[in-house]
Structures are given as C-alpha cells and as structure tokens.
Amino acid sequence: MTNLDRRQVLTGMTATGIGLVAAPRFATAQQPRFDGVTLRVATFGGGWDRAVHKYAGVKLEALGAKVEYVTAPPRDNLAKLIAAKGRPAPFDVVEMGDLTWVDTYEAGFLQKIDLANVPNRKDLLPSQSDEWKVASWVTQEGIVYNAEKFAANGIPKPERYRDLLNPKLAGKLCLIDITQAGASQLLVGASIDEGGSMTNIEPALKFVKDANPFQFWKVGAQAVTLMNSGDIWASTMHAGFAVQMRRAGLPVAFSHPKVGPTKRGLLKEGWLGVVKGSPVPRAAEFFINEYVSAETQFGLATERGVVPVNGQARAKLAGDPLLKEMFLLSDADVGNMVSVDFNVFNLDDATQRWARAVSTR
Amino acid sequence: MNGHRAIANARKAASGIWMLGVFVFLFAPLVVVVGASFDGGERTFLNFPPKELSFRWYGRISPDLFESLGLSIVLGLTTAAVGCLVGVPAALGLVRARFPGKSLVAAAFRAPLQIPAVVTGVSFLKLYYLIGDVTGIYVVGTLPGLVIAHSFLATPYVIGTVSAVLQRFNTRLEEAALSLGASRWRTFRRVTLPVIMPGVYAGAMYAFLVSFGDVPVALFLGSSGMQPFAAKIFHLMEFDFDPTLLAISTFIIFGSLAAIYLLQRAVGLEELSRSGGGN
Amino acid sequence: MKARWHLVLIPSLLLSLFLLLSSQIAFLRGSFFKDLRLGRIGTELTVENYVRFFTDSLYLDSLILTIRLSATVAILTLAIGFPVAYILARMRSRWSLVLLAAIIAASFITIVIKVLGLIIIFSSGGTLNRLLVGSGLLERPLTIMGEPAGVVVGLMHFTMGFAVLLLYGVIKTIPRSLEEAAEIHGAPRRRVFLRVIVPLSLPGIVVTSLIVFNLCMGAFTSAALIGGGKVFTLPVLIQQTVIMQTRYAMGATVSAVLMTVTLLINALSVFVMARFDRRRGMVA
C-alpha cells in the first residue's frame, strides 16, 4: 500500500510538472521529466520484453522513470485484470492481441489515451490508433512451407488454405492451435475463401477437420523443430517464423493466402492500451509514443520478425531482400489484406466448436 | 547345479534389460537436450545429434535466466521450509491423535493435490486480492505470495512422507525418555525428531521439486522481477526458440542429478525411501 | 501424561483449511451462477452450468478421456515401476542407490524441457523411427506427439520417480528371508514374486497408483504441450474455458466436477481395498 501511495503522490507531482511544460510539447528542450515514476508494462515474455525495453523503455528511463515489465501471454494478463477488478490497476500499459483487446475494452479495463501525447501516430495507418488503443505491431498470417520438399514431391505452391488439403501433404501439416493468437485469422481466412464469413465459420472448421494436421502447435519452437526434422512440410503461422527459419538455413518459403476473389494475406495486430486507474497516464502515453516510433518499430521488426506499424520503418525494411520476399510491405498490398473484426467474429463460440471438431475421442 | 546358475544368469540378464529399458525411456529426452545444446549452428530449433560441437550457447545465456534460476532456488528452499513447518505437526497430529472425523481431516490435507494447478493459480490470485482489500497487504507478484501458494501445493507431500515414518515409530522410546524426567519438548527434539528426520528430508525434497517444476501457478502469481525459472522458459518457448534454453536446461539436468547425489550422501536415500512407504 | 497430539495439529489444520476453503470457495462459488463472460457472473443461484456439463458431450468425453488417460498412466507406471523398485530393493550393491537417485532426478526435470527432446526422438525421420521402420518392426513411423499416447508417455516421465521411490520403500519392508524360504521349498522365482511379494506389497501398490492417478487427473503441462491441441483433458479444458473464453463460472464447474470425481474414485478404491482385505482375512 505504501508503495502505491508513494506512486500516487509522485504522479501528482509529475502531473503538475507536466501541466507546466505541456504547452510547448514539441519543443524538445522542454521534454517532461518522469523522476520517481514507475511505469508497469504488461507484455509478452521470452525476450520480447527485453527488445521493447532496449528501444522504448530506455527512452522513458532516460527521463528519470523506472520501467517494469509484467510478462505473460495476453490472455493471462487479462485474467490478472479480471482478478484485480475494482482495485488499483496491476499495471499501467497493457499489450494485447486483437481478440484480447475486444475483451479488455468490453470489460471496462481501459482508459482513454490523450492522442496529443502520441505524435508518432502520424506514421501509422488511420485505423491503427484511436483514443482507446494504438497498434504496436503487425504479423502477417499465412502458410510457411518447405519449398524443397514441395518441389521434390510435385506439390504446387499453396495459393489458398484449401491447397493444404493436397493428399500428398497428409500427415505433413501443422495448423496453429486455437489458443494462439493467429488462429482467428486462419478461421476467418479459410471461411471467407470457402463461401463462409466472419459469422459463419463452419467451412473453416470443416477445413481444419479435413486437414487433420499432424499437430496443432501451441509453442512456436514446436512447429519450427518439426519443420527442421522433416516431420512437417507446411504450417500455418506468421511470416516472422519464415524469416527466422530461412535465416537458420531451412529452405522455407511463405505464402500469403488468397482470400476470396480479390483479397490476399491476413493481418494480425497487437494493441497498446492504458489501464483504467493507472496513476501514471502521462508516462504511459510517452512510452506508447516511443513504442510506435520508427526506430523502435524497425528494431522490433529486425530482431523479432514482426511487421512494423510505422510506415517509415516499413519503408526501411524493403531494403532487406529477405524481408521483402516474406512480408507484404507496400501500402497497397497491406491495404488489400484481411483483418478480423472481433466485434463480428465470435472467438468464444469458435473455441468451443473447435474443441468439438478436433478433440480425440 | 549348472542349471541353477543358468537360471540365475538369465534372471540377472532379464533384470538388467528391464532396468536398461527404463533408463533409456527416462533419459533419452534429456540426452537429446544436452546433446543439442552443444550444436554450434545459428539455429532456431533443435539439432540432434549436434552437427558441429560448440559451447557458444553457454556463453550467451542471458543473465536474467540465471536470476530467475536463483529465484527458483530461493523459492524452492523457502517452500520446503514452510512445508515442513506446517506439514510435520500436521503429520504428528494425524498419526498420533485419535479424534472423530480423522479421515476427513486427512482428506482435507490431501485436497491440494486434486486441484488442477491452473485453478490454484487463478483462485490464489483472487484470494490475494481479497486479503489485500481487508489487510492492505497485497502479496501478488511478491516472493511471499509465491511461497504461500507453493507451500499449499507442497505440504501434502511432507505430511505423506512424515506420516509414513511416524507409523513405524516405536512410542516406547518416547515414553522411556519422559519417564526419565525429560521435558516433552526435549523428548521431541532429542528422541522423536531424529527418528522422523528422514521423512522430513524426503518431504522437503518433494516440496522443493514441486515448487521448482511449477509453471501454471507462477504464470499468475509471478511478476516482472519475480518470475520463477520454469515459467520463464515456458515463455521463451512460446515465442521463438532460443538455443541458450538448451544450454541452461543442461545446467538444470546436471544440477538436479548433483543435488540428489548430495542429498543421498548427506541423508541416505535408503532412509528417504523408507519414509515413502505409504500414507 | 498423554500428549495432546490433536492440539499440535490445530495450527496447521487451520492454516491449510483457510487457504483451501478461502481460495476454492471464492472460485467454486461461481459455478452456481450464470456465466456472463469476462469473469462476470449472474446474481441468481442456478445449476445450469452443471446441467450443461452433464448433457454436453464435449465435457463428458473430456471427463472420460481424463480418467482413461490417468488410469492408463497409473497402470503402466506401476507395471514398469514395480519390477524396477523390486530389482533395486534386492540389489546388493551400492549402485542401487545411485540408480534410484538417477530415476528420481530424471523424473523431476520439468516436462517443459523434456518435451523438446521427446519431439526429436519421436520425429518421423528421427533415429528411433528409422531403426523401427528400417528393421521392419513397424510399417509406418511411430508418431505419438499430438496423440493421447504421447501424453501418456509425458505423464509417465513425471510419475515414474514417485512410483519407484514409494514402491522401493514398500518392498524394502518385506524381509528377504520370506523369498528365500519359499525358494528353498522349490517354488520358482516367478511364483514367489507373484504369490509373496505382490500380495504383501498390495497396500503400497494401491496407495502408489492412487497418488499417480491423482497427479495425472490434475496435470496440465504435459497434456497441453504434448497433446498437440487435440487431447482435451479436463485441466486443458479448464485452462481454455477460464483463460481463453473468460468463462469463470463454467471453468469453476468443470473444476468442481474434476475434484469431486477424483475424490470419489479415491474413496471407492479405499472402500474396495478394505472389503478385499476383510474377505482375505476371513479366508485365512
């Protein structure tokens, strides 16, 4: 409790300080100070937290703050918010997958962001920020496949999800597990392509059942290891994995599946929000602004294989032939990708039907 | 005579093959992990057998992995200590006292074993907030918070091992000490405790291992500076595969073998196992 | 002069009961209210979650699968572990303790590490499968990852140490002279083993199999990592219901059923054991 009290007092002090200097916001000489502030960021573990800190966290710390990371998968962090309901916020900034964003928002765990404090949003697409959330990264979901094995066995390059039903691929295929962010993109993509929609996912469930994959991967390392051992020749995952595997010497290629007559590829976004009741909203907004800066976004892309939300960073990536091959980078291509609308797509229902469709008896 | 020896030899061979099979079964995955940790390639996956020998991954283990390893060791030892403090009196009471509803009390002590760990994690998180509302002390994300939850998981093991020793314990020794004028506490310390010690050690070992291997509870009750080792590597595997994971796992594998060996030298597994006879 | 042992018990009991009841009541209470997602529950008492559990094949199948897997693991662990414990207990060299220590140590290394090794071992192009297929023992490569069989293997890795250690202790209490006496009378070793050792250690066997069974009923990590998203045991389903669907009330219901069923199976086995003992006593 004492900890919180101190934090609140300090916030008060900082807020007053900001009030005084807020007007000439872009005058760099007058940057706000965050001395004594502790910002708690809920994000992914496994090194992602370190990469975020290296680019964005240090900027805040240079101004006197301390940044702490609460690392867990987004769904577990949501569970922490649910447990803490009606009490002081367990963290200040929360990073969410697209589905978790809908739930976190609906449950009333977020507070509005003062977008004036996030000037870097000028480099983002208009749909990628509003007063509740700012996009933090994009992954491009699709099909990673072993090009050598495909060629040797006379399997054509997969253009659509249904191409994975090729009998020559029986038992050689992994699909993403329903518990992983990215499964929604598979369900929606496969549904729309087979005449279904975001509300009618039966075609996709049929596809998943027919595909009868070797495994549904829960841990990225699992699918990558199976790809290396030759147990599987293709897996639905995001393009970042294809980059990783190619750099490690595997002969993989990536296909952005066609969805319906005109669309191609699927987008999955990560979102940043400020937790309701956070005592340090100004520091949270500063951190979010640094998170979407061209420098951070470029760093995360090269280190972690995500696609930047920042247009400048994306343009810079096009200079790397491998990334250019694996990712869709131009604004036109990105604009033609499918996004899942989680206000329409019901993952709760999909999760239950998935379990029924695939569980072993 | 020769026939007998042949039978004895066949028996020995059969035993040997059986043991070998079990050891291969248990150790094969570990051998693969250790072997792959020496693979030198710039890889994001396991390579076994290693293509080029190298120790490079050992040099790259990030310091925060060692930090969380240290935390796990502290957490495990504290859990073992708390588990014994709670479990030993419980076992004494369960074995020696006669009171109605004893089997019910025993069942209550065993109950944590039947709760799926995910549920323990979520429900303790909720409990900690409720306690915090009343007392103003929030233990979420702190070492005490983890210790309480892990002790909850581990205490039944201590009760089990200590009870088993107590059941075979001859109370006449204590009676003799008491009749010679020793105080009850002195009798406990000098007579009872030394005899049940193997059970306590065995229970403490189980408690440590339960705490050390836990993932689901730590996912909920950990925090940035308080992330136990097993939960940390679970996270690492979720994103991309970092070969330093294999390197540090190798440390864990040899560390566990060494710890059990030392325990055996210090206490004697013979004694430990004697305490495991039942509950 | 009698010590009041029940007084010693009280602080521990109070502490354990407090933690058990307060955490579980806070959670399980939700099972009697309507599930409104996002951790929210209705205000009226209802048993609809329980009705749903017992009328929905998803949950029932999962319950049956969980019991079946746990029972399989218990039986296999016992069948493999008992001879190991017996061999070690009767070994006359110091090596027996080193071997015992190694089994325990290997058992307790977290499955999170082992699972990577298991993937490689059972990979279709891996050494094991090349040997099996090459030697003509198998027609197709053995793939158990993503199958219930793989989960069984993963769980056995976890339970073997417990079982061997517990059984070792049991067998050590059976005097070696009993076997020697039987052998002098000309009984073959196998008969001695089945007629003397196994019956005498039966209580220990039952206790050990119950412990193994209980551990498996609540085990999450093996089923989640090795099950390849296809093996929905109750703990996996609970995790999915609570964490993915944020249906806390339904998750509480599933977990209440899991706990009750486990307790019932334990009680039933103890009851059957007691009957069995009494019958044996009468015959003898």
Side-chain angles (χ1 to χ4, degrees):
Chain A
M1 219 39 193
T2 48
N3 216 349
L4 260 177
D5 284 344
R6 197 185 55 205
R7 190 178 295 131
Q8 268 150 4
V9 171
L10 287 170
T11 322
M13 284 161 55
T14 329
T16 334
I18 294 160
L20 293 175
V21 296
R25 195 179 306 115
F26 293 110
T28 44
Q30 303 248 7
Q31 270 208 337
R33 296 282 309 173
F34 296 100
D35 297 297
V37 168
T38 300
L39 183 77
R40 297 157 303 166
V41 179
T43 183
F44 307 95
W48 177 266
D49 50 338
R50 259 177 286 147
V52 167
H53 187 71
K54 182 169 148 194
Y55 294 104
V58 290
K59 296 278 169 54
L60 186 59
E61 293 203 333
L63 297 173
K66 175 152 181 31
V67 185
E68 288 177 355
Y69 298 88
V70 180
T71 52
R75 296 307 289 183
D76 289 349
N77 280 333
L78 174 63
K80 291 177 188 171
L81 285 171
I82 289 175
K85 192 150 65 181
R87 300 180 184 84
F91 29 80
D92 305 294
V93 173
V94 58
E95 177 151 30
M96 301 155 283
D98 35 19
L99 159 77
T100 306
W101 182 80
V102 176
D103 282 346
T104 312
Y105 170 75
E106 200 188 305
F109 293 139
L110 296 177
Q111 69 180 32
K112 287 190 184 176
I113 301 167
D114 181 358
L115 289 175
N117 292 326
V118 190
N120 282 333
R121 62 190 279 267
K122 69 179 188 322
D123 294 333
L124 275 53
L125 297 176
S127 64
Q128 285 176 332
S129 66
D130 60 36
E131 56 191 349
W132 294 105
K133 61 184 191 296
V134 176
S136 50
W137 44 262
V138 167
T139 57
Q140 302 185 339
E141 301 290 327
I143 302 161
V144 179
Y145 64 99
N146 185 324
E148 267 178 19
K149 298 276 187 199
F150 268 54
N153 291 279
I155 308 169
K157 168 185 191 299
E159 299 277 353
R160 298 174 179 277
Y161 281 123
R162 85 164 75 101
D163 295 342
L164 296 176
L165 298 176
N166 188 326
K168 287 180 182 162
L169 273 175
K172 293 288 179 192
L173 173 68
C174 254
L175 296 182
I176 188 167
D177 189 67
I178 187 71
T179 55
Q180 299 304 304
S184 312
Q185 280 71 18
L186 165 65
L187 283 174
V188 166
S191 279
I192 295 178
D193 201 38
E194 299 290 336
S197 67
M198 286 194 207
T199 47
N200 170 21
I201 56 154
E202 278 310 314
L205 290 173
K206 185 175 177 307
F207 162 77
V208 168
K209 230 172 145 169
D210 291 348
N212 187 23
F214 181 67
Q215 269 186 44
F216 295 99
W217 64 266
K218 273 195 169 72
V219 176
Q222 208 177 333
V224 176
T225 301
L226 287 168
M227 194 74 97
N228 176 48
S229 66
D231 278 78
I232 57 165
W233 298 345
S235 176
T236 58
M237 46 201 332
H238 71 74
F241 282 108
V243 174
Q244 263 188 35
M245 286 188 244
R246 177 74 72 77
R247 285 199 178 130
L250 284 184
V252 295
F254 189 81
S255 162
H256 294 273
K258 289 183 181 151
V259 179
T262 54
K263 297 271 187 184
R264 178 163 169 257
L266 293 128
L267 277 181
K268 182 182 81 197
E269 274 149 336
W271 299 100
L272 294 165
V274 179
V275 177
K276 186 184 254 173
S278 160
V280 291
R282 181 64 187 89
E285 284 153 6
F286 181 91
F287 178 82
I288 290 175
N289 188 50
E290 286 303 329
Y291 203 130
V292 298
S293 74
E295 190 200 344
T296 307
Q297 289 289 312
F298 182 75
L300 289 176
T302 46
E303 277 188 29
R304 310 291 306 188
V306 293
V307 181
V309 286
N310 190 303
Q312 284 186 35
R314 231 176 13 244
K316 231 167 122 188
L317 281 188
D320 181 325
L322 178 59
L323 299 183
K324 200 168 176 225
E325 175 197 334
M326 300 294 188
F327 294 151
L328 295 176
L329 292 171
S330 79
D331 287 353
D333 280 347
V334 171
N336 191 36
M337 296 175 85
V338 176
S339 291
V340 178
D341 181 351
F342 281 91
N343 293 308
V344 178
F345 173 70
N346 184 347
L347 185 70
D348 177 33
D349 175 60
T351 303
Q352 292 187 40
R353 288 207 267 161
W354 174 291
R356 276 173 225 284
V358 309
S359 71
T360 349
R361 293 280 138 89
Chain B
M1 239 13 207
N2 261 342
H4 265 179
R5 195 176 301 154
I7 290 173
N9 280 344
R11 199 154 60 212
K12 251 191 190 150
S15 302
I17 290 170
W18 191 270
M19 292 296 289
L20 188 70
V22 171
F23 271 84
V24 168
F25 174 77
L26 285 176
F27 277 89
L30 302 179
V31 169
V32 169
V33 167
V34 172
S37 76
F38 295 110
D39 185 62
E42 187 73 43
R43 314 221 184 274
T44 52
F45 43 77
L46 235 65
N47 227 346
F48 186 85
K51 296 212 168 95
E52 38 182 310
L53 269 182
S54 141
F55 286 92
R56 64 196 293 195
W57 301 117
Y58 287 81
R60 292 205 202 161
I61 298 175
S62 108
D64 55 313
L65 270 178
F66 282 116
E67 255 168 53
S68 71
L69 183 57
L71 168 70
S72 267
I73 292 170
V74 171
L75 176 61
L77 292 175
T78 322
T79 301
V82 174
C84 290
L85 281 177
V86 179
V88 172
L92 280 166
L94 275 178
V95 173
R96 298 202 162 166
R98 285 166 179 273
F99 55 91
K102 198 163 118 173
S103 60
L104 208 66
V105 171
F109 275 123
R110 259 200 315 269
L113 293 181
Q114 267 125 55
I115 304 171
V118 188
V119 172
T120 308
V122 177
S123 54
F124 267 74
L125 184 62
K126 206 164 169 182
L127 174 67
Y128 287 172
Y129 277 114
L130 291 174
I131 293 176
D133 291 346
V134 178
T135 61
I137 303 165
Y138 289 92
V139 291
V140 178
T142 67
L143 186 62
L146 284 167
V147 167
I148 294 170
H150 278 181
S151 305
F152 177 75
L153 294 179
T155 305
Y157 294 96
V158 180
I159 297 179
T161 54
V162 177
S163 301
V165 180
L166 276 171
Q167 269 154 1
R168 282 192 291 271
F169 184 72
N170 195 338
T171 48
R172 250 175 294 169
L173 272 175
E174 286 175 335
E175 281 158 23
L178 285 171
S179 70
L180 288 173
S183 74
R184 191 153 283 154
W185 170 242
R186 214 179 138 78
T187 308
F188 175 75
R189 249 194 37 192
R190 291 295 175 82
V191 180
T192 319
L193 203 57
V195 180
I196 63 170
M197 242 8 226
V200 179
Y201 283 127
M205 180 182 80
Y206 283 135
F208 181 88
L209 293 167
V210 166
S211 161
F212 196 82
D214 161 70
V215 175
V217 173
L219 278 185
F220 290 99
L221 303 179
S223 66
S224 53
M226 282 292 149
Q227 197 157 52
F229 181 74
K232 190 115 186 165
I233 50 179
F234 185 79
H235 279 314
L236 277 176
M237 282 180 55
E238 219 167 15
F239 288 93
D240 55 3
F241 181 67
D242 180 350
T244 61
L245 211 107
L246 298 173
I248 195 148
S249 298
T250 303
F251 277 123
I252 302 298
I253 291 166
F254 286 112
S256 312
L257 290 171
I260 299 264
Y261 178 73
L262 288 179
L263 196 70
Q264 195 247 314
R265 288 295 295 264
V267 194
L269 270 179
E270 186 82 349
E271 291 297 312
L272 287 187
S273 70
R274 218 170 271 164
S275 63
N279 183 2
Chain C
M1 210 44 205
K2 272 217 120 172
R4 296 196 182 87
W5 286 113
H6 57 279
L7 292 183
V8 177
L9 173 82
I10 286 173
S12 300
L13 182 62
L14 288 181
L15 187 67
S16 302
L17 275 184
F18 169 73
L19 288 178
L20 176 70
L21 295 179
S22 57
S23 68
Q24 292 312 301
I25 287 173
F27 181 70
L28 295 180
R29 189 180 152 267
S31 69
F32 294 103
F33 294 91
K34 194 174 175 61
D35 197 319
L36 301 174
R37 284 196 73 235
L38 298 170
R40 296 171 300 199
I41 54 170
T43 48
E44 273 174 46
L45 280 173
T46 165
V47 291
E48 68 168 54
N49 295 321
Y50 287 93
V51 172
R52 175 147 177 230
F53 187 103
F54 288 105
T55 51
D56 188 331
S57 63
L58 174 66
Y59 299 105
L60 284 178
D61 287 347
S62 166
L63 175 63
I64 292 163
L65 174 74
T66 313
I67 295 174
R68 218 177 58 205
L69 281 185
S70 305
T72 312
V73 174
I75 291 167
L76 285 177
T77 306
L78 260 288
I80 294 173
F82 192 85
V84 171
Y86 178 75
I87 295 167
L88 289 177
R90 291 295 184 249
M91 215 183 240
R92 281 175 215 265
S93 84
R94 276 188 55 81
W95 274 95
S96 69
L97 290 175
V98 176
L99 294 177
L100 184 64
I103 289 177
I104 298 163
S107 235
F108 276 112
I109 289 160
T110 168
I111 189 75
V112 180
I113 293 177
K114 281 185 196 154
V115 72
L116 289 171
L118 286 171
I119 289 177
I120 296 291
I121 290 168
F122 288 101
S123 75
S124 60
T127 321
L128 177 71
N129 272 317
R130 254 180 286 161
L131 269 175
L132 287 173
V133 177
S135 65
L137 276 172
L138 285 179
E139 261 176 44
R140 284 183 308 133
L142 176 71
T143 51
I144 61 162
M145 308 305 286
E147 304 287 335
V151 178
V152 168
V153 167
L155 286 170
M156 281 170 67
H157 268 274
F158 169 55
T159 54
M160 192 60 78
F162 275 107
V164 170
L165 186 62
L166 290 172
L167 293 170
Y168 179 87
V170 172
I171 296 167
K172 270 283 175 183
T173 59
I174 302 171
R176 204 190 284 260
S177 53
L178 267 180
E179 287 156 76
E180 282 160 0
E183 250 175 306
I184 287 167
H185 288 102
R189 187 60 86 92
R190 195 187 312 135
R191 274 262 292 282
V192 178
F193 184 76
L194 290 176
R195 294 288 174 86
V196 180
I197 304 296
V198 172
L200 280 178
S201 40
L202 203 55
I205 291 177
V206 171
V207 170
T208 308
S209 40
L210 280 182
I211 289 178
V212 170
F213 180 81
N214 292 349
L215 282 173
C216 295
M217 288 294 279
F220 165 74
T221 322
S222 300
L225 287 180
I226 303 179
K230 291 192 265 191
V231 184
F232 284 85
T233 60
L234 283 181
V236 173
L237 207 58
I238 292 170
Q239 198 259 357
Q240 207 180 79
T241 312
V242 171
I243 301 301
M244 290 305 297
Q245 300 181 288
T246 57
R247 290 187 178 278
Y248 281 63
M250 197 60 215
T253 309
V254 180
S255 115
V257 173
L258 171 61
M259 276 186 253
T260 314
V261 168
T262 312
L263 277 174
L264 280 178
I265 291 175
N266 279 272
L268 194 72
S269 342
V270 171
F271 176 76
V272 169
M273 253 323 269
R275 292 277 308 248
F276 184 72
D277 262 6
R278 212 174 326 138
R279 279 242 307 276
R280 225 170 32 162
M282 270 156 60
V283 172

